[in-house]
Amino acid sequence: MYFVVKALGLIVLLGWAAASGASKRCPGYIATHISETDNGFAASLKLNGQPCNKYGQDIASLMLSVRFDTSDRMHVHISDTEKTQYQIPQWIVPLDKGLGVDKRHHSLEFTHAHNETSGFGFKVQRDGEAIFDTTGHVLVFEDQYLELTSNVAADANIYGLGESPNWFRRNPDNTTITLWNRDVADPFGENVYGSHAVYMELQSKSAKFHGCYLHNSHGMDVVLAPGTVQYRVLGGTLDLYIFGGPTALDVIDQYTQLVGRPARIPYWALGFHNCRYGYTSVDEVNQVIANYSRARIPLEAAWTDIEYMDKTRDFTFDAVNYPVSEMKKQLDALHAQGQKMVLITDPAIHVDDAYGTFVRGRDQDVFIKNADGSLYVGQVWPGYTVFPDWFATNTSEWWSDELQRYFDMLPIDGMWIDMNEPASFCTGSCGSNRPMNEEPTPPWLSTAPHRFINKTNRMLVPPYAINNHELELSDKTVETTAIHATGVTEYHVHNLYGHMESRATRDFLLAYRRNQRPFILSRSTFAGSGALVSHWTGDNMASWADLHVSIASVFDFGIFGIPMVGADICGFYGNTTEELCARWMELGAFYPFSRSHNAKGLAPQEPYRWASVAKATRRALRVRYALLAYMYSAYQDSVDHGWPVARPLVFEFPSSQFASNDKQMLIGSSILVSPVLTQGARSVDAVFPTGRWYDWYTHAHINGHNTNVTLDAPLEHINVHIRGGSIVPTQRPEMTTRQVRQNDYELLVATSANGTATGQLYVDDGESFDTQHKWIDFSYDARVLYVAPRSGTMRVERAVTSLVLLGVVGAHTVSVNGVRVDCSTVVTPNSVVVTGLNIDLNTKSRIVVS
């Protein structure tokens, strides 16, 4: 029951509701000193009774700030009055705060409530529908524990929150999603490499999406229970941003406007990549490159893992197996074929007085410290290691200098930054006071017990234990009591480490190759990392379950604002099988980032190893490479609006019927991929939303009715369909992206049931930031195709030389701008194919097919 009163132009709700959950014994807060601001609302919050000190010390005095940042984004910040709680500095994650708007021009409405049991609560509504509602739940705000609960539908459709390998639609019944960056091999449902406290929800009744982001770097659990979503955070403040949508793409647009749009990628990044942890020499990598060519399987970039290094130390080369002279030859040979080279770099630096990178870093004081001021020494691949402290003002300069020395030896094309959670094989500063030349026992060979857990140190063992699946928060990483240059402990900023390394690495590459887009792949990410790097989903297993989960993980990162993402194709750990690898190559050909990679000591899995896998790979990659122009255009939408390249059906068709579908994948809005995810299957049940869908290979159409259709799926075949109403630009596939871009365009005009279609094409140089560009719009109606440049000054050299019209019956003549042209027209049962055209994409054209 609620009473509604007006206060300062905002609605205040007064009522009663039972408190629930872990916070029952806590008093909550009461709002006082309520006032309007230029773009919102402010108040003081005071404890509404005796402190409960449940997992820390209750903070008696808080500040509430509500700001209408944009017309569809609201900022709600609850912070401590004394400002002692850690907050993420703007220089680490720059947020676009928005100009601020008058609440009268805002799509969202803020109300707040007080009841005798739970105290202060607030509600955010869109068109009268609650999208974030804490009323009836106690707010807990302690120095090491924050708790905020929002009401949701009992069977809520919630997406996002991670990084955690899981099904795309989060189970709303008793699911805990933990955010604490962790080096672990992709266990289902557990926290892994990155932290993204953003979710979006589809409300079944309205079929509208909204979203929420908590800007906080601390470890946390987000607990989904029937009817609620609850944040349990190990510190900081409740810095919330609420997005009104109402479409899925709107929410992602609004989120990436806040944390940063995805970075522009070089065109070559969309090609197919190969790597393996375990290539023994540069000669073996050369053989792999040659084998791809002999098998006629496209290979865009050759990657090498840590074995190229001297004793696995950054910025070095193994003089015997990977001498720099031979690596230069490999790089030159790759470039001559239009291919690229990417090498791995880890943040941990070997402790060795004979190792220049360590000596220079130590002399410049750029490494993380223990509380006593000594170097924090963990253990990674080289042995005892120290870790760059990105908070030190000179660390980025030192990092850039080391990278410069490295690139002076070998100017590689892209960087792969790994182990940056940061990972450490031991708990605590295990290398302190140890001889520099001592080689520690790897943890997987050690029988030593875990160290004594000091539960009296609340920075090591906080009173509330997040669901981290390790004995301590400090296991497998830098200890939480380690000190950064600013005095902040690792406890508060652990989840930012990989993000900060990403920024420092990108800053170097921007300076090294000015006006050239860097390509960086990072394992650890945070909110806003998409503005800096791309991502792969880490150390997965060669299993059918991981094949399926990979789709959901790709969708997750579309929400997180990192659209250039993919999984290790065929699996990283475990020996794949011929059938599994064939099916994974088919699906992986459509990941935005497409790379095969597996672990040391396992059976090799390059796709040319089996005839059936090679055939499946060639078939699937022919489709990908034909679609490169379409995918690149979709990626530019990511740059401009944050929209993901790979999307679930529910993003385009917001209905509970598609809410849990993570077995199919849309590329952009027009290409539907329906992979086989089950061992032994030679068919697949694919759901087709209402409308026409055309088979990529045969052009036969299916009339979708939101029902499953069983499709044939031989081992070497993946089903791909074109959405009716779409115009898809394609080019003839080749062995490299450079070769593809030299070919003319063909337009696939897939008409809807009413005979219409639309599409677009984005063109630029694929390399630089200041490139000229051109957006071109296509539309088709009543047998007339219109080509209309939308924006940009770039001259597009390649013309449209052919059309494939789907859903069009018969055609005999073609005219362009009123002039009949001499071309070839072939009518098949499923299409009309027109060749011999020369349509200039730099000017408006009207093409009539009659």
Side-chain angles (χ1 to χ4, degrees):
M1 178 179 182
Y2 289 98
F3 298 100
V4 182
V5 299
K6 292 284 186 177
L8 298 168
L10 294 166
I11 297 175
V12 181
L13 300 178
L14 302 177
W16 296 268
S20 61
S23 54
K24 283 183 179 180
R25 297 187 302 275
C26 294
Y29 289 80
I30 185 170
T32 64
H33 301 95
I34 301 166
S35 64
E36 286 188 323
T37 62
D38 289 344
N39 304 114
F41 173 73
S44 298
L45 299 178
K46 306 295 182 184
L47 269 179
N48 193 36
Q50 292 299 311
C52 66
N53 298 329
K54 187 171 183 63
Y55 296 114
Q57 298 298 311
D58 282 66
I59 297 177
S61 178
L62 306 178
M63 298 182 294
L64 168 68
S65 170
V66 179
R67 184 175 187 266
F68 300 99
D69 286 352
T70 69
S71 62
D72 41 34
R73 186 180 85 213
M74 181 185 293
H75 183 197
V76 179
H77 191 193
I78 301 173
S79 59
D80 58 312
T81 303
E82 297 299 322
K83 298 184 178 181
T84 59
Q85 294 288 99
Y86 184 78
Q87 298 184 46
I88 302 171
Q90 178 75 0
W91 67 269
I92 296 177
V93 183
L95 298 182
D96 181 347
K97 302 290 188 176
L99 296 176
V101 298
D102 189 290
K103 54 186 170 288
R104 293 171 298 180
H105 304 133
H106 204 276
S107 63
L108 304 179
E109 179 185 47
F110 180 89
T111 60
H112 69 92
H114 181 82
N115 68 52
E116 294 176 355
T117 305
S118 60
F120 168 81
F122 68 89
K123 182 185 294 187
V124 178
Q125 294 175 286
R126 177 192 56 205
D127 299 328
E129 185 175 45
I131 63 173
F132 199 89
D133 177 12
T134 75
T135 57
H137 300 283
V138 173
L139 166 65
V140 181
F141 201 113
E142 300 174 345
D143 57 350
Q144 281 189 268
Y145 182 75
L146 314 178
E147 184 178 295
L148 185 71
T149 308
S150 175
N151 299 308
V152 296
D155 194 28
N157 299 307
I158 291 177
Y159 311 95
L161 299 170
E163 181 180 5
S164 177
N166 211 319
W167 309 126
F168 181 53
R169 178 180 179 265
R170 303 309 192 212
N171 184 348
D173 299 328
N174 195 29
T175 295
T176 298
I177 301 161
T178 300
L179 276 61
W180 182 258
N181 295 358
R182 175 171 170 240
D183 171 24
V184 65
D186 281 1
F188 184 84
E190 296 183 18
N191 54 304
V192 291
Y193 316 104
S195 290
H196 298 271
V198 60
Y199 76 85
M200 57 198 301
E201 181 184 358
L202 170 65
Q203 295 196 316
S204 297
K205 183 177 179 180
S206 65
K208 294 180 179 179
F209 282 90
H210 63 269
C212 181
Y213 167 59
L214 176 61
H215 189 56
N216 187 304
S217 58
H218 292 79
M220 69 179 78
D221 286 337
V222 185
V223 180
L224 306 182
T228 61
V229 55
Q230 184 178 81
Y231 296 93
R232 303 175 183 176
V233 192
L234 296 183
T237 66
L238 293 168
D239 197 1
L240 290 162
Y241 292 85
I242 299 166
F243 313 104
T247 71
L249 297 187
D250 288 336
V251 173
I252 297 170
D253 183 3
Q254 292 151 17
Y255 173 64
T256 57
Q257 181 186 29
L258 173 70
V259 300
R261 301 292 196 199
R264 301 180 78 178
I265 57 169
Y267 201 102
W268 63 264
L270 289 175
F272 178 72
H273 306 250
N274 181 81
C275 185
R276 184 175 183 194
Y277 173 33
Y279 288 138
T280 58
S281 68
V282 64
D283 292 334
E284 184 178 3
V285 177
N286 285 336
Q287 187 62 50
V288 168
I289 296 167
N291 287 343
Y292 269 95
S293 180
R294 277 193 290 270
R296 300 302 297 167
I297 297 174
L299 177 64
E300 190 71 17
W303 296 49
T304 306
D305 212 308
I306 57 175
E307 47 274 308
Y308 80 87
M309 302 176 185
D310 177 26
K311 301 175 183 176
T312 65
R313 297 183 298 188
D314 278 352
F315 315 130
T316 66
F317 295 87
D318 181 333
V320 175
N321 297 309
Y322 287 90
V324 173
S325 59
E326 293 304 309
M327 293 292 282
K328 287 181 177 177
K329 291 179 183 177
Q330 184 184 96
L331 181 63
D332 290 342
L334 286 166
H335 286 175
Q337 298 299 321
Q339 297 167 302
K340 306 294 181 181
M341 177 189 286
V342 182
L343 301 181
I344 195 170
T345 299
D346 294 337
I349 302 300
H350 190 208
V351 176
D352 184 346
D353 274 339
Y355 176 35
T357 296
F358 167 72
V359 173
R360 287 184 290 270
R362 180 192 60 194
D363 293 347
Q364 295 174 49
D365 196 22
V366 302
F367 299 126
I368 296 174
K369 304 286 184 58
N370 289 304
D372 64 5
S374 63
L375 290 179
Y376 181 93
V377 185
Q379 178 188 351
V380 193
W381 300 116
Y384 290 128
T385 54
V386 289
F387 299 85
D389 180 3
W390 309 111
F391 286 87
T393 56
N394 57 334
T395 300
S396 289
E397 182 179 353
W398 162 81
W399 186 249
S400 290
D401 179 64
E402 298 304 320
L403 285 170
Q404 182 69 56
R405 295 167 185 266
Y406 176 53
F407 273 70
D408 285 346
M409 289 187 284
L410 188 70
I412 58 176
D413 300 294
M415 287 193 65
W416 173 19
I417 52 178
D418 191 12
M419 306 288 286
N420 54 347
E421 292 73 32
S424 179
F425 297 157
C426 65
T427 303
S429 188
C430 59
S432 291
N433 304 315
R434 306 297 300 180
M436 277 197 176
N437 61 354
E438 179 179 328
E439 295 186 10
T441 303
W444 49 89
L445 299 178
S446 174
T447 58
H450 192 279
R451 73 178 185 180
F452 171 76
I453 299 176
N454 182 6
K455 295 183 179 180
T456 63
N457 188 329
R458 300 192 339 162
M459 287 291 106
L460 280 177
V461 184
Y464 176 76
I466 60 174
N467 196 32
N468 183 46
H469 293 276
E470 304 290 348
L471 292 177
E472 291 188 56
L473 285 179
S474 301
D475 286 351
K476 297 186 178 180
T477 189
V478 170
E479 189 170 79
T480 52
T481 59
I483 303 294
H484 292 273
T486 58
V488 67
T489 61
E490 179 71 4
Y491 175 92
H492 300 291
V493 299
H494 167 77
N495 288 338
L496 297 173
Y497 193 89
H499 177 84
M500 295 179 75
E501 184 199 16
S502 297
R503 183 173 297 282
T505 304
R506 183 175 177 84
D507 285 347
F508 163 74
L509 289 173
L510 290 172
Y512 178 74
R513 294 189 175 112
R514 297 186 183 278
N515 194 35
Q516 195 164 343
R517 304 171 203 172
F519 178 76
I520 309 169
L521 189 78
S522 177
R523 189 168 76 171
S524 184
T525 58
F526 190 76
S529 289
L532 308 171
V533 295
S534 302
H535 177 67
W536 92 107
T537 61
D539 298 342
N540 58 2
M541 297 295 297
S543 71
W544 291 91
D546 281 39
L547 169 64
H548 181 181
V549 169
S550 74
I551 300 175
S553 296
V554 168
F555 292 164
D556 287 345
F557 276 86
I559 296 173
F560 301 157
I562 310 179
M564 189 62 175
V565 60
D568 282 347
I569 298 173
C570 298
F572 181 75
Y573 282 124
N575 288 319
T576 193
T577 66
E578 180 176 357
E579 181 188 9
L580 175 60
C581 199
R583 293 307 192 190
W584 212 323
M585 284 300 311
E586 291 165 0
L587 171 62
F590 296 92
Y591 294 152
F593 171 65
S594 183
R595 183 187 69 166
S596 174
H597 182 41
N598 76 316
K600 192 174 185 177
L602 300 174
Q605 61 186 37
E606 295 88 359
Y608 53 74
R609 299 281 178 176
W610 305 269
S612 66
V613 179
K615 183 177 180 181
T617 302
R618 283 190 292 267
R619 185 174 176 86
L621 287 180
R622 278 189 65 82
V623 181
R624 179 189 183 92
Y625 276 58
L627 286 169
L628 284 174
Y630 169 80
M631 294 181 71
Y632 191 67
S633 301
Y635 197 90
Q636 188 59 33
D637 277 335
S638 300
V639 173
D640 292 341
H641 307 290
W643 299 342
V645 175
R647 306 171 189 174
L649 280 168
V650 73
F651 281 12
E652 294 288 328
F653 304 93
S655 163
S656 57
Q657 185 166 358
F658 304 109
S660 299
N661 186 317
D662 54 17
K663 293 184 177 182
Q664 294 170 272
M665 183 166 63
L666 281 166
I667 303 302
S669 61
S670 300
I671 300 296
L672 179 62
V673 180
S674 303
V676 170
L677 304 174
T678 305
Q679 184 176 4
R682 294 299 182 266
S683 64
V684 62
D685 289 336
V687 63
F688 287 91
T690 298
R692 283 187 178 178
W693 298 85
Y694 297 88
D695 185 285
W696 172 272
Y697 311 94
T698 68
H699 299 154
H701 79 268
I702 292 172
N703 287 319
H705 298 288
N706 296 340
T707 55
N708 281 330
V709 176
T710 299
L711 305 171
D712 289 337
L715 182 59
E716 297 86 1
H717 178 76
I718 184 168
N719 280 280
V720 181
H721 287 81
I722 310 159
R723 182 179 179 180
S726 304
I727 299 178
V728 178
T730 68
Q731 291 170 289
R732 187 176 69 249
E734 304 283 359
M735 294 291 284
T736 66
T737 62
R738 185 176 71 180
Q739 292 171 331
V740 173
R741 298 193 78 193
Q742 295 169 356
N743 293 334
D744 289 325
Y745 294 100
E746 177 176 270
L747 298 183
L748 286 175
V749 182
T751 61
S752 64
N754 63 9
T756 63
T758 60
Q760 62 179 10
L761 172 66
Y762 175 82
V763 183
D764 65 16
D765 69 10
E767 297 177 357
S768 67
F769 286 103
D770 66 358
T771 174
Q772 294 179 318
H773 77 277
K774 183 153 286 178
W775 273 109
I776 302 147
D777 290 326
F778 307 111
S779 61
Y780 180 88
D781 189 12
R783 291 185 173 269
V784 181
L785 172 67
Y786 298 91
V787 176
R790 182 201 313 167
S791 65
T793 59
M794 183 178 191
R795 176 160 186 82
V796 181
E797 297 299 327
R798 309 262 57 95
V800 173
T801 56
S802 59
L803 306 175
V804 178
L805 307 177
L806 308 181
V808 176
V809 179
H812 303 286
T813 63
V814 177
S815 64
V816 178
N817 296 328
V819 178
R820 183 170 176 174
V821 295
D822 184 15
C823 59
S824 173
T825 302
V826 177
V827 179
T828 73
N830 299 322
S831 65
V832 175
V833 180
V834 181
T835 58
L837 299 171
N838 187 26
I839 300 170
D840 186 352
L841 291 173
N842 299 288
T843 60
K844 289 184 177 181
S845 295
R846 182 176 184 271
I847 301 97
V848 178
V849 181
S850 58

